[in-house]
Amino acid sequence: MRIDVVTIFPEYLEPLNVSLVGKARARGQLDVRVHDLREWTHDKHNTVDDTPYGGGPGMVMKPEPWGEALDAVIESGAQGEELPVLVVPTPSGRPFTQELAVELSEKPWLVFTPARYEGIDRRVIEEYGDRLDVREVSIGDYVLAGGEAPVLVMVEAVARLLPGVLGNAESHRDDSFAPGAMADLLEGPVYTKPPEWRGRGIPDVLLSGHHGKIARWRRDEAFRRTVHNRPDLIERADPAAFDKKDREI
Ligand SMILES: N#Cc1c(-c2ccc3cc[nH]c3c2)n[nH]c1N
């Protein structure tokens, strides 16, 4: 997979050089290219923003630099290469979910356009929406100062789903929100050595070696945590699906 990020803060994306994403890049499983939007400005101040038409607070990102940048990135694709999906982080976007992470992880090329200020001139989205699959996406119901942190979140969520990136392929199976027996449930509690810590032990079932009982306990704990922290996930679940999931354990 190829990922391009166009931003006025390239240094904000430094975390993509470390840990899981950094290792995937070093192994050649992921090709991440970060571009400074100001490379496509032509004035001495490298201007990327201007006042909003219609008035109002703040500044809006100008369309010209974005147009030149995105044209250059798209044209840098190999001849015959599938066009990228354009992912636009915005508080007014559709929710970024595990389902969307899975869908994006199956695409060969993603281009992220993290904005700043009050956002990007709408005509940029319209221009590229005419020829690309454009997804306006929000990582949650809170307001940030820019789209770079959402890009870090989405790239990690997508990269960990790429074949061979996570050490243990089984790790996906028990993800919160992953399809299968744990779908729509939060992850349950986890434990490791030492067997006792500050007078606190390990649940006996986890020491039993009985895999069926352990799996059922984990699912019950996941259900308990979901009821406590995300009752909305329980309300939308299909009771028949829970019975089916029980049979999968
Ligand atoms: N995704 C997302 C966002 C944002 C966001 C994204 C881009 C910009 C550009 C200026 N301000 C922004 C906020 N806030 N909250 C979210 N869930």
Side-chain angles (χ1 to χ4, degrees), residues 106-148:
E106 293 160 357
K107 304 292 184 183
W109 187 8
L110 306 176
V111 175
F112 289 88
T113 61
R116 284 276 157 169
Y117 308 104
E118 299 304 314
I120 302 172
D121 186 301
R122 187 66 194 169
R123 291 171 291 181
V124 175
I125 308 303
E126 293 170 357
E127 165 75 4
Y128 291 93
D130 287 347
R131 44 185 155 141
L132 301 179
D133 177 359
V134 177
R135 308 293 180 93
E136 295 183 88
V137 182
S138 168
I139 63 165
D141 293 337
Y142 39 81
V143 183
L144 302 169
E148 283 80 9

Side-chain angles (χ1 to χ4, degrees), residues 39-138:
E39 284 181 26
W40 288 278
T41 61
H42 308 290
D43 63 300
K44 68 177 179 179
H45 298 298
N46 299 114
T47 306
V48 294
D49 63 307
D50 205 332
T51 54
Y53 275 119
M59 303 291 275
V60 175
M61 299 193 88
K62 295 171 59 62
E64 300 98 323
W66 281 104
E68 290 187 33
L70 291 175
D71 285 349
V73 168
I74 293 165
E75 284 158 18
S76 72
Q79 288 305 319
E81 189 173 29
E82 188 176 330
L83 288 172
V85 175
L86 201 64
V87 182
V88 182
T90 168
S92 53
R94 292 185 177 180
F96 181 70
T97 61
Q98 187 66 15
E99 182 180 2
L100 179 53
V102 170
E103 180 188 354
L104 294 179
S105 73
E106 293 160 357
K107 304 292 184 183
W109 187 8
L110 306 176
V111 175
F112 289 88
T113 61
R116 284 276 157 169
Y117 308 104
E118 299 304 314
I120 302 172
D121 186 301
R122 187 66 194 169
R123 291 171 291 181
V124 175
I125 308 303
E126 293 170 357
E127 165 75 4
Y128 291 93
D130 287 347
R131 44 185 155 141
L132 301 179
D133 177 359
V134 177
R135 308 293 180 93
E136 295 183 88
V137 182
S138 168

Side-chain angles (χ1 to χ4, degrees), residues 149-226:
V151 170
L152 293 176
V153 166
M154 290 189 269
V155 168
E156 178 161 323
V158 167
R160 66 185 291 278
L161 295 171
L162 297 176
V165 170
L166 267 193
N168 173 1
E170 286 299 300
S171 298
H172 295 162
R173 189 201 58 180
D174 294 343
D175 277 352
S176 294
F177 313 107
M182 302 300 278
D184 290 337
L185 292 180
L186 303 180
E187 290 183 19
V190 290
Y191 299 83
T192 187
K193 303 179 188 61
E196 182 170 323
W197 177 72
R198 295 188 181 181
R200 299 175 189 277
I202 303 296
D204 292 337
V205 66
L206 297 181
L207 305 174
S208 69
H210 193 298
H211 298 298
K213 288 182 179 176
I214 291 171
R216 180 167 297 281
W217 180 87
R218 283 176 166 159
R219 194 157 117 44
D220 292 349
E221 286 300 306
F223 188 85
R224 193 195 315 272
R225 179 178 276 188
T226 307

